[in-house]
Amino acid sequence: MVLISKGKLLIDLICIACVLLLTACSSNYEKINPANINDVELRFAEQMALKIINKCNTFDYTPLTLEEATPQAVKGFSATVIQQSCDLLRNKYGTYRGLEFAEAYKPIADKSHTIYRFKGNFKEAIKPPEIRITIDQSGKFAGFFTLKWTDKLK
């Protein structure tokens, strides 16, 4: 039974990652001019990134709430998923040390969400990884993803 739930959890994580990757194709997105970035939403995106990443350092794996996140994000980022994500981050990059905002993008077609890209500072990382936060059009947290930093959105 434990293997089944871990397998299902892994499949859920892979599905979330695939959806985020499919929706993050740079040809379908436009970079937001820094002067036009919503500062309140940027601060919220940064707070959500810090909330998730800081859980890795404190081992506090409390789940997200519907007040701050979409129902899909609340379901997808359960305490178990956050713990496993933190374990992966720690193993791959080491201890988290900081975060720096880099840029933001919106989809060209529908403007349904905003992607905020941050560079993560981790003790063991040779190059800073990308910490990507997605905020939906209602201002709620909709996704968190880490990947190798590239200068272009992929």
Side-chain angles (χ1 to χ4, degrees):
M1 183 163 172
V2 172
L3 291 176
I4 292 172
S5 59
K6 283 186 179 181
K8 179 170 178 0
L9 183 61
L10 183 57
I11 290 170
D12 288 346
L13 284 173
I14 291 169
C15 288
I16 289 169
C18 289
V19 168
L20 288 174
L21 283 174
L22 288 173
T23 61
C25 178
S26 63
S27 65
N28 296 326
Y29 283 78
E30 63 184 346
K31 186 174 180 179
I32 301 172
N33 181 315
N36 296 330
I37 292 174
N38 179 329
D39 289 334
V40 172
E41 193 172 274
L42 170 60
R43 282 193 301 276
F44 177 67
E46 184 174 22
Q47 288 172 353
M48 292 307 296
L50 292 172
K51 180 176 183 171
I52 292 170
I53 294 172
N54 282 331
K55 290 174 183 285
C56 298
N57 290 345
T58 63
F59 299 95
D60 171 24
Y61 305 119
T62 54
L64 301 174
T65 68
L66 289 172
E67 293 172 359
E68 64 194 353
T70 65
Q72 297 86 354
V74 170
K75 182 179 178 184
F77 287 90
S78 67
T80 303
V81 170
I82 293 171
Q83 178 184 0
Q84 291 178 344
S85 298
C86 286
D87 291 345
L88 291 170
L89 278 173
R90 256 193 313 276
N91 289 337
K92 188 169 186 176
Y93 301 117
T95 304
Y96 166 75
R97 298 193 295 195
L99 193 66
E100 177 186 343
F101 173 69
E103 57 193 6
Y105 288 82
K106 278 206 177 278
I108 294 169
D110 62 9
K111 312 285 189 221
S112 61
H113 59 279
T114 305
I115 293 174
Y116 291 92
R117 297 179 76 206
F118 298 88
K119 288 185 178 181
N121 180 352
F122 291 83
K123 186 175 182 179
E124 309 289 319
I126 297 169
K127 292 183 180 180
E130 176 182 348
I131 306 296
R132 185 177 294 184
I133 300 293
T134 303
I135 305 296
D136 77 357
Q137 62 190 5
S138 65
K140 291 194 174 192
F141 171 81
F144 172 89
F145 198 66
T146 61
L147 59 154
K148 181 179 174 183
W149 179 264
T150 60
D151 289 334
K152 290 187 176 186
L153 180 71
K154 292 186 177 187

